[in-house]
Amino acid sequence: MTIAKPNSYRSGPDERGHFGIFGGRFVAETLMPLILDLEQAYTAAKADPAFQAEMNGYLKNYVGRPSPLYFAERLTEHLGGAKIYLKREELNHTGSHKVNNVLGQIMLARRMGKKRIIAETGAGQHGVATATLCARFGLECVVYMGAVDVERQQPNVIRMEMLGAKVVPVQSGTRTLKDAMNEALRDWVTNVHNTFYCIGTVAGPHPYPTLVRDFQSIIGNETKAQMQEVEGRLPDSLVACIGGGSNAMGLFHPFLDDPTVEIFGVEAAGHGLTQLHAASIAGGRPGVLHGNRTYLLMDADGQIQDAHSISAGLDYPGIGPEHSWLHEIGRVNYLSATDDEALAAFQLLSKLEGIIPALEPAHAIAKVMELAPKRSKDHLMVVNLSGRGDKDVPQVGDILRGNSK
Amino acid sequence: MTTRIDTRFAELKKQGRSAFVTYVMAGDPDLRTSLDIVKALPKAGADVIELGIPFTDPMADGPSIQAAGLRALKGGMTLKKTLELVRAFRKDDDVTPLVLMGYYNPIYIYGVDKFLADAKTAGVDGLIIVDLPPEEDDELCIPALKAGLNFIRLATPTTDDKRLPAVLANTSGFVYYVSIAGITGAAAADANAVGEAVARIKRHTSLPICVGFGIRTPEAARAIAQKADGSVVGTALVDALKNSLDAEGRATAKTVNAVAELTAALAQGVKGAKQAAE
Ligand SMILES: Cc1ncc(COP(=O)(O)O)c(C=O)c1O
């Protein structure tokens, strides 16, 4: 299928929240007035310099931005090709890129007078970021997390509880991220009057995919300026892992209209694309779930299928709608990495650079291991190191010692 | 266009009585039992039948209805078989209005045009698709109206007077007022608040207004029937079905009756409610 190229890849969505056929607002009527309110509040906040100034203050002094753009010399030498830079989102307060978005949404919630915040979380990073900012601003916080993820991401569960959040293990369905999102939507429908739903990725009903992207775009904007400073030019390629796709969209978006920049998103191929996996673009097709139309893993009857990834943060049967559009229009190249490839990359980065990555960006590193050797030595490749591996240390330790599958 | 739904509400109006609307999940716990249940509903006093389309991720439904959907899916139910169930029901009953209720994805994957054609010939009268607000009317609502099916929209406590006209614009058959901001199976709203909401909606439309979510007992159904043109009961029927299953979740000799008996008791509560209110 050929689709006409747009003048700009950065102008979406349209006013109804559509990126091509993707996106939209597929939610119960109860939520619609709230979603329209949120859209209005966001439009007003965006136009308000005081909002931006307040956010910039917290980004600098609370989150610790800008995050460094680090030249990974030993990894570069080892792979023998492209010059690899790591965008160090794992150095942010709370340990991942998730905090950028949560800060923005909590500022919005405050503007809207909401006192109760709910969130869904897979790896727990979004939950931790939300619990953190709720603590900082004295807001009630409830985090929905699949019971399976509560098991495999214990360190984050404990952190959230220490921060004063209530973590609700979700027992329905596959007991992972998609079910946590269902449960959060149910809570929102029930408590719509006083509750703000802080979504953790570039998915959900419009305006979430847009506002999360905007809040995360600081990653790409900083990268652009930092690369200009150290190398005097744009990078040649970008690589980021994709759960829902927020760290990827944050890095990619500012570069979408720079045609020389090659862009790669890396989905989780789990046990392999012909077996259980979480690669919605590679193994799914367009459908409607959680408020938006996007690529989804499903059966012939439109029932949503179980996703699987070693990484709880990538274990979701969908992807943000803007990614689906960027895939169909051919601007971004979507690849996938298996559990085993991610584990190997996790170990390689730890040993070569002294940086223990989260299992999520380990998927991106896994593809860098394939891509970088094929590029020339003056090729500048940026990988989004979306989070640090502290939360994964017990799980990976068990696997490496053979105590787990 | 006059549908079975229009005809039924016109009759009820003439009789001065409120409708009793039942919800059950298609294929719960298996196709055969489910068909027997649907057939039993009109005899037990249901005026309108809502038939759930099973879906893995029913985000506006509570645990009972989600479990019913998963039982049905486990039993091999699909959207295609849901339409077969409707066709089988229509062999003996050409008057009871039947509305499919569910989520958009299975329909989108089936193909909207093919679905509407197949639903119409199977004998479906209307659709309630929870995750299609008026903002997404182009998807299914407009094509459904063109295909001669009613598209029944939910109005909720958060739907204010400003928004109501948009919600009602392409609604037909009846308006489904969700009496609480919440999921199915949650606590019931109080009848007086419902009465006020119904009066408010009536200022914007002449369509019948049915009220659902949280009605479980004949008394509650009666109280709502006095305020609205119909009351909808779902979770209580689904729970009655579930309680009749064996340890493996299979139907037993009691299953069809369990649903029919509760339906009869609820219908008894609704009938005569308008007169009792006078
Ligand atoms: C460190 C890290 N990276 C990536 C992700 C995936 O999310 P997204 O694709 O929205 O960046 C997660 C999600 O939990 C995460 O914790």
Side-chain angles (χ1 to χ4, degrees), chain B residues 109-189:
Chain B
I109 294 306
Y110 191 99
V112 165
D113 292 341
K114 180 165 156 43
F115 168 75
L116 290 172
D118 292 356
K120 183 76 188 168
T121 52
V124 171
D125 302 297
L127 303 173
I128 302 175
I129 306 301
V130 180
D131 54 354
L132 286 178
E135 282 73 7
E136 303 290 349
D137 265 0
D138 298 345
E139 295 283 337
L140 184 66
C141 173
I142 308 283
L145 296 177
K146 283 195 188 131
L149 289 166
N150 288 129
F151 199 85
I152 295 137
R153 186 102 60 203
L154 306 181
T156 72
T158 59
T159 317
D160 60 15
D161 280 315
K162 198 167 106 245
R163 184 166 168 80
L164 257 176
V167 168
L168 296 170
N170 293 317
T171 299
S172 62
F174 61 93
V175 179
Y176 189 137
Y177 180 67
V178 177
S179 60
I180 46 156
I183 53 178
T184 53

Side-chain angles (χ1 to χ4, degrees), chain A residues 25 29 182 186 288 293 302, chain B residues 57 61 105 136 139 163:
Chain A
R25 281 182 288 222
E29 169 61 23
N182 288 333
R186 288 179 180 135
V288 174
R293 179 174 8 238
Chain B
D57 294 81
D61 283 298
N105 198 52
E136 303 290 349
E139 295 283 337
R163 184 166 168 80

Side-chain angles (χ1 to χ4, degrees), chain A residues 263-342:
Chain A
I263 307 183
F264 300 94
V266 184
E267 298 189 296
H271 298 316
L273 290 179
T274 55
Q275 299 173 48
L276 274 178
H277 64 85
S280 322
I281 284 190
R285 63 214 153 96
V288 174
L289 181 72
H290 293 154
N292 61 161
R293 179 174 8 238
T294 194
Y295 271 69
L296 297 170
L297 300 180
M298 57 189 153
D299 70 13
D301 191 40
Q303 306 297 336
I304 307 305
Q305 282 178 327
D306 299 358
H308 163 78
S309 167
I310 191 173
S311 141
L314 305 185
D315 202 346
Y316 180 68
I319 182 169
E322 193 167 8
H323 284 292
S324 294
W325 178 73
L326 289 168
H327 162 67
E328 288 209 339
I329 209 145
R331 176 64 186 98
V332 175
N333 211 330
Y334 292 88
L335 311 170
S336 57
T338 63
D339 289 353
D340 289 344
E341 289 172 322

Side-chain angles (χ1 to χ4, degrees), chain B residues 171-260:
Chain B
T171 299
S172 62
F174 61 93
V175 179
Y176 189 137
Y177 180 67
V178 177
S179 60
I180 46 156
I183 53 178
T184 53
D190 104 348
N192 287 331
V194 167
E196 281 167 33
V198 169
R200 178 165 73 86
I201 299 170
K202 285 217 179 269
R203 289 200 290 275
H204 296 265
T205 180
S206 54
L207 287 170
I209 297 163
C210 297
V211 175
F213 281 43
I215 305 172
R216 302 189 68 96
T217 61
E219 296 71 36
R222 173 182 297 253
I224 296 296
Q226 287 170 354
K227 310 281 185 187
D229 303 306
S231 30
V232 189
V233 176
T235 298
L237 294 174
V238 167
D239 286 345
L241 183 153
K242 189 197 96 193
N243 293 336
S244 76
L245 301 176
D246 70 14
E248 273 79 54
R250 288 173 308 214
T252 63
K254 292 191 210 129
T255 300
V256 176
N257 262 342
V259 180

Side-chain angles (χ1 to χ4, degrees), chain A residues 96-98 123 125 200-201 241-247 313-314 358 360-361 386-387:
Chain A
S96 81
H97 68 293
K98 297 282 179 190
Q125 286 305 113
T201 192
C241 69
I242 310 248
S246 68
N247 86 87
L314 305 185
E360 289 81 8
S386 57

